[in-house]
Amino acid sequence: MDVGGTFTDLVLHDAATGEIRVAKQPTTPSAPERGVLAAVDAAVPQDLLARCRHFVHGTTVGLNALLERRGATVGLITTAGFRDVLEIRRGDRDDPYDLFWTPPPPLVPRRLRLEVTERVAADGSVVRDLEPEDVRRAAEVFAAEGVDAVAIVLVNSYANPAHEARAAELLRQAGFAGPVSLSHEVSGEYREYERTCTTVVDAFVRHRMGPYLHNLDRELRARGFAGELLVTRSGGGALALAEAAARPFETILSGPVAGAAATARLAASLGLGTAVAADVGGTSFDTALIEDGRLPLLYQGEVVGLPLQSPWVDVRSVGAGGGSVAYADAGGLLRVGPRSAGADPGPACYQRGGTEPTVTDAALHLGMIPRGHISGGIELSEDTAARVLAPLAGPTGIDGVDAVAVGVVRIAAAHMAQAVRGVTVERGVDPRGAAVVAFGGAGPVFGCLLADELDVDTVVVPPNAGNFSAVGLVQADIVRSAARTMVRPLDDEALPLVERVTETLFERLAQPGAVREVDLDLRHRGQEHTLTIPVRLGEDDPAAVSARFSEAYHRAFGHTLPDPLEIVTVRATSRVVLDADRPMVPAPPSGEGGRGTTRLWSFRRGAWTEAPVVRREDLDGVAEGPLLVVEPTATTYVDAGFAVEAHESGCLMITRKDRP
């Protein structure tokens, strides 16, 4: 179950019978669980729900809490002298060319950031004991201010957490009953600002995330569900309900990551060396670079200017989705996004109260979306789409509604292509050698346009393209991870010490039948930043780890250095594979009769054309564009100069026949 900005997508896969059910329902932003339950009620009978072993959920509740600044009232307890770390930040600008740039305000106002006397050194030794009375005074302030949750972040607690644990105990003794987030449990890594911010975010979103998940679980149980509710992580995989509620910061980007994970599995199964995930939803365009079937995993992300020390699949998002609003700026230029019509009211052509022109309105006017009904019982209105697009012609000087619609779609495609360049060209990867995997409700509509923008020869449209992120959830493993900063040289004594540290971490991450994975953050001595390298404890020696680091360093920077290496952080991951044999989920039949032909705009020809409309399951052999391929959750637009055929995997393979 994937909750997007416009639609909530469901995929049910019965591994025993091979049965597939899909559903799309409009997202309900004010109460996301209503859209989730509506999709369940529409597609899953009670007896089938009762047999489900896992309900895997990608959610935007935590992300929305940050975007809207609607979370808990958080109090912060920190070491004396570190009260203002959230405002000092790193002292740099996110945009160095914006003279008026201001950092986002901290989640905790200064009056609720309280200091306590204590000091732990970087080696874990206690320099000054914790003063209990300081914690008690903080508890009195929090009670008077109506604080909902408390974050405790004491300097160097990653090396020795005793003072944080004692502060939490004293806080409880003083009568505080709300959630308490401890930095050594949330992060366990050095870098004071990032660790403080991560712990505060955890406390801030837990207030909304916990009740939401427990309410959803209760409603599912009432409908007969007896399995396990899982929530996907920003770093891939899924967490059990209790852990997701206790560590909500790990789920901030759980939705977009599922599509990237599904793309990685698909790319590996098809033997695609390099693939680009192109997820076009109603609100945003999300993209990630997949190389050799591997997710691009980072260990620090950022949301609305707030850093998070958490495993993080590198998914880039821009405001270029089906609901992105088109407008004329003050200079008379046509613009698209990032503002979106979202799910409520949605694009004007949905006839649900929207009055502004969007990308979906333009695509409908150009015939790129079949006329009639779409998923969720929404009936599209061509007349409404044309009516809201027409006013853009005057201020922009564009001649007619057709040209306005073409401009809107082209600008949206250009925004998407620029985001793709951010994950390819900016990393030294030539996108022309990649395959674009187009999915999301509008992804297959833009596949050929993206191919032309990026000069790519191959576009892959997976089965259930409109619900492909939900397919990624069906394929998820249960994953738990932890990290501990341990700065020391990479020498003969290092790996035995790493092994002892990881044993301690894996005790926290214990799961029956789990596969253990260990990574090290390494750098050359004297450097500031690191590269994360996988390690096989018991098999690797320092020379093998060093060689692996040098290879990664050369790939990233184009050269190597002779300087000795040092370990910075030890990372442990515990992974339980839910189903070792998880084939690609095939698309169900559309259940609709043949549609004949439609009036369609060809961007390659720059003209209207009469083009065939083909059901996905009826596609036989190679069909040349322009044409539309329809299925229950998405429409694939194939322009002139491209050909499409059904692959044995169930994917649609679109290949370029000539260049424009």
Side-chain angles (χ1 to χ4, degrees):
M1 183 73 68
D2 175 47
V3 180
T6 304
F7 283 100
T8 294
D9 299 338
L10 176 148
V11 169
L12 183 146
H13 182 209
D14 189 333
T17 65
E19 181 185 8
I20 303 299
R21 290 174 183 252
V22 298
K24 265 185 181 290
Q25 290 290 323
T27 293
T28 51
S30 60
E33 66 275 13
R34 290 210 315 265
V36 172
L37 296 169
V40 171
D41 293 340
V44 188
Q46 201 165 30
D47 63 326
L48 196 55
L49 184 63
R51 291 197 292 110
C52 284
R53 290 185 297 129
H54 298 100
F55 187 102
V56 192
H57 182 33
T59 177
T60 55
V61 170
L63 176 61
N64 290 340
L66 285 179
L67 294 175
E68 300 166 4
R69 294 275 173 148
R70 293 174 57 195
T73 299
V74 178
L76 173 64
I77 293 177
T78 189
T79 303
F82 290 83
R83 181 183 189 184
D84 296 318
V85 72
L86 288 177
E87 291 190 85
I88 296 171
R89 295 164 52 94
R90 286 291 170 193
D92 56 359
R93 295 169 178 260
D94 281 4
D95 184 351
Y97 302 106
D98 183 358
L99 298 179
F100 301 100
W101 179 85
T102 55
L107 291 174
V108 185
R110 197 169 194 271
R111 72 180 190 280
L112 298 181
R113 304 197 300 261
L114 304 182
E115 298 177 331
V116 296
T117 301
E118 71 89 36
R119 190 68 185 220
V120 170
D123 63 1
S125 60
V126 176
V127 178
R128 188 168 184 178
D129 288 332
L130 174 69
E131 176 52 59
E133 191 57 35
D134 290 350
V135 180
R136 296 188 186 102
R137 280 197 295 267
E140 293 174 2
V141 173
F142 295 155
E145 292 281 354
V147 165
D148 300 311
V150 172
I152 301 179
V153 187
L154 304 181
V155 66
N156 296 324
S157 60
Y158 62 88
N160 182 350
H163 284 180
E164 279 194 356
R166 177 59 177 155
E169 181 182 347
L170 290 167
L171 193 65
R172 294 298 189 201
Q173 290 175 1
F176 183 78
V180 176
S181 297
L182 304 180
S183 76
H184 73 275
E185 295 179 349
V186 169
S187 170
E189 299 183 49
Y190 78 151
R191 300 188 188 278
E192 207 61 27
Y193 166 56
E194 288 80 359
R195 183 160 56 93
T196 303
C197 190
T198 303
T199 309
V200 166
V201 166
D202 181 75
F204 184 79
V205 302
R206 189 185 297 193
H207 187 66
R208 288 185 66 182
M209 192 72 173
Y212 165 76
L213 290 175
H214 288 296
N215 289 342
L216 178 60
D217 185 60
R218 185 183 64 251
E219 291 293 335
L220 288 171
R221 304 291 173 193
R223 286 165 168 77
F225 176 65
E228 186 175 17
L229 175 60
L230 305 173
V231 183
T232 48
R233 305 163 70 245
S234 301
L239 296 168
L241 170 67
E243 190 162 10
R247 297 174 62 82
F249 73 97
E250 288 203 49
T251 71
I252 296 297
L253 279 189
S254 74
V257 164
T263 301
R265 183 175 291 274
L266 176 63
S269 68
L270 295 178
L272 302 175
T274 306
V276 172
D279 179 4
V280 188
T283 303
S284 66
F285 170 75
D286 304 316
T287 185
L289 174 66
I290 309 297
E291 295 185 283
D292 299 322
R294 297 194 307 269
L295 283 173
L297 193 60
L298 306 176
Y299 290 94
Q300 181 173 303
E302 184 176 290
V303 173
V304 294
L306 304 174
L308 294 177
Q309 287 181 322
S310 173
W312 196 276
V313 175
D314 188 13
V315 177
R316 307 286 179 89
S317 299
V318 295
S324 295
V325 174
Y327 63 98
D329 68 11
L333 292 177
L334 183 62
R335 303 280 191 181
V336 178
R339 192 166 59 86
S340 172
D344 185 13
C349 63
Y350 284 8
Q351 303 183 86
R352 302 178 67 196
T355 58
E356 297 179 289
T358 67
V359 172
T360 296
D361 295 305
L364 176 64
H365 181 77
L366 297 174
M368 303 171 74
I369 303 172
R371 285 82 175 177
H373 289 81
I374 61 171
S375 299
I378 295 172
E379 185 170 358
L380 303 178
S381 169
E382 292 179 77
D383 292 340
T384 303
R387 186 172 67 251
V388 297
L389 289 165
L392 291 175
T396 60
I398 297 175
D399 185 17
V401 176
D402 292 355
V404 167
V406 168
V408 169
V409 171
R410 281 200 177 280
I411 291 170
H415 287 325
M416 297 173 195
Q418 189 62 20
V420 172
R421 294 185 187 101
V423 299
T424 55
V425 176
E426 290 181 13
R427 294 183 181 173
V429 176
D430 189 343
R432 292 175 295 184
V436 171
V437 180
F439 59 97
V445 172
F446 280 90
C448 290
L449 287 164
L450 273 173
D452 276 343
E453 287 278 350
L454 299 167
D455 201 18
V456 166
D457 289 333
T458 304
V459 177
V460 180
V461 179
N464 298 299
N467 290 37
F468 195 56
S469 288
V471 172
L473 301 180
V474 168
Q475 298 171 337
D477 300 326
I478 299 179
V479 176
R480 304 180 70 193
S481 64
R484 184 70 67 235
T485 290
M486 186 188 76
V487 182
R488 59 153 298 122
L490 177 64
D491 53 25
D492 291 337
E493 299 175 0
L495 293 184
L497 181 58
V498 167
E499 194 161 0
R500 289 197 293 273
V501 171
T502 56
E503 282 301 320
T504 301
L505 294 177
F506 281 124
E507 287 177 10
R508 285 175 47 196
L509 306 177
Q511 298 185 92
V515 176
R516 294 182 171 189
E517 301 169 1
V518 177
D519 298 273
L520 297 180
D521 286 3
L522 298 170
R523 66 187 179 191
H524 288 293
R525 191 174 301 167
Q527 291 185 332
E528 165 69 2
H529 297 288
T530 62
L531 293 176
T532 304
I533 305 299
V535 176
R536 297 181 294 269
L537 293 179
E539 300 179 28
D540 287 335
D541 58 19
V545 177
S546 179
R548 205 170 297 140
F549 174 86
S550 295
E551 180 184 345
Y553 195 92
H554 187 274
R555 187 167 59 248
F557 303 111
H559 64 274
T560 57
L561 296 174
D563 303 332
L565 301 182
E566 65 181 5
I567 300 168
V568 176
T569 301
V570 179
R571 302 188 181 279
T573 302
S574 171
R575 182 184 303 274
V576 175
V577 178
L578 293 183
D579 187 349
D581 182 21
R582 290 170 297 185
M584 191 182 308
V585 182
S590 65
E592 301 175 3
R595 297 197 181 193
T597 62
T598 188
R599 187 169 179 263
L600 179 67
W601 179 267
S602 169
F603 286 83
R604 283 289 197 86
R605 295 173 180 171
W608 290 99
T609 183
E610 197 70 18
V613 178
V614 183
R615 297 191 307 175
R616 182 168 184 149
E617 64 268 26
D618 292 339
L619 192 63
D620 186 21
V622 178
E624 296 195 359
L627 78 155
L628 294 182
V629 182
V630 297
E631 57 182 296
T633 62
T635 298
T636 301
Y637 168 81
V638 184
D639 203 354
F642 290 89
V644 59
E645 64 178 323
H647 189 264
E648 60 184 8
S649 65
C651 295
L652 298 182
M653 309 297 290
I654 302 173
T655 53
R656 181 193 300 278
K657 294 304 178 185
D658 60 60
R659 280 177 161 68

